[in-house]
Amino acid sequence: MAASSIPDFRLTCFLDELKKNEFLQFKQLLKQETVQRGLQPIPWAQVKKARRQDLASLMTQRYGEQPAWDLALCIFPKIHRKDLCDKASRESAANAYRAHIQKKFISMWSRGAFTAIPGCFDQTLTCEEHESLEEYFTPRVPRRPRTVVLRALQRMGKTRFLMKVMLAWSDGTLYRDKFSFIFYLCCRELKQLRVTSLAGLMSRERPDDSVPLADIVAQPERILFIIDSLEELQCTLTEPESELCRDWREERSVKTVLSSLLRRRILPESALLLAAMPMRPEALESKLDHPNMQDLKCFQDSHVKQYFCCSFEDRGRALAAFSLVRNNEHLFTMCHVPLLCWMVCTSLKQEMERGRDLAATCCRSTSVFLSFMFQAFTPKGAPRPSQQGQGLLKALCSLAAEGMWTDTWVFGEEELRRNGIADTDTPTLLDLRLLRKYSESGSSCSFIHMCMQEFCAAMYYLLDSPRHHPSRAVRPIEALLPTYFRKDRASWVFLGCFLFGLLHESEQQRLDALLEMQRSRELAPQLLGCLRSLVEIEDPEDQVEFLLLFYALFEVQSDAFASHLMSSLREAHFPLRERPDLAVAAYCLKYCSSLRELTVSVPEIFPEERGPNPMSSRTLLWWRQICSVLTANEHLQKLRVVDSVLGKWTLLILCCELRQSTCPVQRLMTRKVCFSCETGIFFEVFTSNPNLQHLSMTSTRLPHDEVLLLCRALSNPVCNLQELLLKDSGLSPTDCTALASMLATNRKLTLLDLSDNKLAEGVSTLCAALRHPDCTLQTLVMAGCQICEHCCPHLSEVLLSNANLSHLDLSRNALMDEGVAQLCEALRQPTCSLQTLCLDSCQLTRACCEDLASVIAHSQSLLELEVTGNALSPSGVNLLLEAIRCPGRVLRRLRTPDRTTADEEKSILGLTVAEVSVPRRPAPFVGARGNRSYTSLAETSPEEERDGGTAAELCRPGAGSQSSLGSRGSWAEERAVGPRNPREAISLGLEVYEEVGVDAVGSPGPLWVPSWKRTADWPETKLWLTLFTEGLPDVPMVLHGKSGPGKSVLAQRLMLSWAQGTLHDTFSYASFLQDRDIQQMEESILEREERLCGDGAEKQPACILMPSLLREVLLLGSSLMATITHVGMEKLKSLVQCPVT
């Protein structure tokens, strides 16, 4: 409804709330009140027969909008309806808030407006947008939280769209009857706050306190919170429940307050509208309560063409420029951001006016930005910027670099001056449309778009050296690249792309000519070296966002550069969310000649599949180039397709490559894949390609007809699949018939995983096939399959009749003590050959421990038994441990529930707490053997981090969560420990899997860094005995690897082995030090040796004691071993002054 008719409509709504007799009284009092006020009365005949809407119109026409409203407010109390006056007062305050919002966002919109073309960049919502927004908050399910997430890539106009929503609400055209108050929360601004409350965030938007917050939150269903740029706060929504707020007045960190709001702990009845990047919604969807996920299209294809036609006076030139952009996927995607579309048009127009070839000068995003930048600084008719212009350009780029490293997007006078921008320069930069005023009042400025700031920051590294920057926050190239490619900073979106794009040969020539400098050519080898060190590390997935790397290489467009860098890449993992992603992946993968593992995510980004000639579409052509790596790369062994939607043509192209005998892929894995077409061609792959040996379809729903197709392929004798994993694939008991038929005929399958499928009634059918004497299955996993104790007789028969079955996992099934008793009866028989049995979380009690102990004592085949997650009680665990001591038992590994206390463990084995560490919170070890000191640093959980102490305090036994340092002095308590059976420690969960080991040792140097990975046949005790008997180097030794393989547990095991006398005979003292601070140390400590601690008795924070040990300032001459993840390796290397190798 138009704003002008709101008062008339408002008066009608209030009259509608009057009862019949009240309405009649209102008419009588209206006649009296007009006479008393000296107003010309409305003829009584018209008043008497008027309905409510008619009377409102009569009053408005006769007296005007405001006088009519004043008359009504005067009459309401006289008919005992003062509540209507109170309601009107609240609405007036709400209208004042609307007016404030309208004024604020009109000002914000105008500061970002760079065009006056009618119909383009309009601040009003289109009819389609209006309908969609109204529908988003129309309840479909009663009492379900109203949460809408708008998905769009960064820099694609999300903020601009949300501004349009605020303006539409403020003028009464959107959500007028749904929401009385809308609060816009921009996380880019909120991250500056340390502590706040939801009340504080709401008060930031209100001009006054005319409506108390208590009255506003009293109707939470009438409140909408719009949250913009959530990624700026890096909210994971994983805070423990105990940390969340329950009161809208409670003060916490901004992250905690927003998490509490999003997770519906505060004002759960309110509505939420979030704008997020595509990678964020994947995490958000699982954390939010029934969110409505929507894709945001801010600027349609037709809008881009319309804008080009309006921008160019000559229609021919307009269509030529649009054609160039339309055929360039990157530029066309960029033009879907209104402001960037204006910038592209401006650059192309000026290049055309100078008579230049657009295909050569504006073919990539970097070249467009460079053209725009130099056209801004180059005087008309001049060949290059003046000296003054070059100086101002360097100052602008210096400002941008500081902003990127400090996460600053709004700059005040101090920042401007510090980077060389004088007060008189600011109007020039505003006129050039490189900066814009952030607010009407004040002198703060921001770049016209965050992409422009990123481009200028990249330019800075070609114009100057970070060593000369006035801010110490600005880091060198060696720090910038890992930060960008690890995605450590969510706001760095295109910085790396622009940096590498400036290395393109054509851009280097332009820079040489315009600035008369050669630095870009000097920078290229340095960038290549940094990138190569990133991709050559083990587990590069932890260090590199591969798609960012691909975009950077695509901007360079150098075959030699890409080939030199990508030829050593062994694995790549990336999502394909947008059409440009396909183009860059297709370009880069062709250079990955050594690729061994590939993981792709392909959402539904192929709309051309529905066209008349789909195979000619560019997106499918790029997809075909990506899939061609499956046959072109002879080293590729593993392919993962995750979180994907595969349509007819997408699947056909993929399968055409997979079915080739030249395709070397052996392991094919899908996770959360939806097939939106018939899948027969997919399963035919396994009868065509003899190399495929492993298929995993985790969380990939398989209807019954597709299960039949799969089993038919596996029953074909030419199929070479040996391992089949169908975890959480929606299988039913009906599917067990097809699986049983396949097992009866297949002679190659050795592993079958059916976890998390509802198979209870089908178990007997499967067991009948498993009892077949020719069944070759060796490993069967049926965890979480709703199997009960009634299925155990069938499983027991399988154990007695199948000599090949060596591993059985029945975890997370309600087998109960009765079912396990039946299994144990079979396990005790000499004909049972099972080696591994997993019974985790099977609702077992102490009652089954006697049966399990009997199996441990008498089974001649069972090597491993897992019974964690069951309520066995300490006495039940004791029975199992006693059985381990029986002579002749063959069991090697027992995993029991981690519920016994340290005292109970002590009573079981007679060990002291210092000799056996509890797996979840290890205690410090201090002991005495040999003649040297030895310190082990291991990672710990955040709650175990310390404030600090002296080295003497930290080394004492029982220091709790404090670190401990070993030495030759009186600090260490000597504790001679006799040898123990290592299997006793294993029984308490102190094992390290035998796959953990070290496969190579680096050359001697300031830092000895053995590489760390899993190997199948190298027990860790023998390995470390070999390393230490050869002598520990007099330098720190560091084990690095991804989180989870057991580095910290290995450190505990080494301490136990030292205490038992089986390792480290050269050390008099050894201490176990737990610390994660290596990755969090202040850079000032790393760089200033005078800050370190050389006195072991000096009280210092842990972040100083740790560097002091590593830099050998403290306890000089002692030996040191540390464990750390790959993420912290670069900082650790700089800490001990070791060159990156």
Side-chain angles (χ1 to χ4, degrees), residues 199-213:
L201 296 180
M202 296 166 69
S203 297
R204 287 167 56 92
E205 292 296 322
R206 297 197 307 151
D208 52 50
D209 296 327
S210 54
V211 182
L213 276 178

Side-chain angles (χ1 to χ4, degrees), residues 431-451:
D431 292 340
L432 292 175
R433 294 182 175 179
L434 297 171
L435 296 181
R436 63 181 176 187
K437 295 197 69 174
Y438 185 72
S439 61
E440 292 298 329
S441 59
S443 56
S444 56
C445 297
S446 66
F447 284 82
I448 60 167
H449 194 273
M450 286 182 284
C451 285

Side-chain angles (χ1 to χ4, degrees), residues 956-976:
R956 293 192 186 111
S961 62
Q962 297 284 338
S963 302
S964 60
L965 303 180
S967 79
R968 287 170 282 180
S970 61
W971 302 340
E973 175 185 341
E974 297 191 5
R975 193 185 305 273

Side-chain angles (χ1 to χ4, degrees), residues 799 803 805-806 826-837 855-856 858-864 888-892:
L799 295 178
L805 191 65
S806 60
L827 288 166
R828 286 193 292 266
Q829 302 303 316
T831 56
C832 177
S833 57
L834 195 71
Q835 298 179 16
T836 303
L837 177 62
V855 170
I856 292 173
H858 299 100
S859 173
Q860 296 303 303
S861 62
L862 194 64
L863 302 178
E864 299 182 19
R889 62 104 178 94
V890 299
L891 193 75
R892 294 181 182 175

Side-chain angles (χ1 to χ4, degrees), residues 510-557:
R510 294 172 73 182
L511 288 169
D512 293 346
L514 292 168
L515 299 178
E516 300 177 331
M517 56 177 293
Q518 297 286 326
R519 178 165 169 75
S520 59
R521 300 183 185 277
E522 301 169 2
L523 204 59
Q526 186 180 359
L527 289 175
L528 180 60
C530 292
L531 268 189
R532 195 168 181 85
S533 66
L534 280 177
V535 300
E536 288 182 348
I537 62 171
E538 191 174 357
D539 298 321
E541 186 179 7
D542 295 337
Q543 298 290 326
V544 178
E545 285 275 346
F546 288 95
L547 208 54
L548 293 179
L549 175 64
F550 289 174
Y551 269 97
L553 294 178
F554 189 83
E555 281 290 304
V556 180
Q557 288 286 312

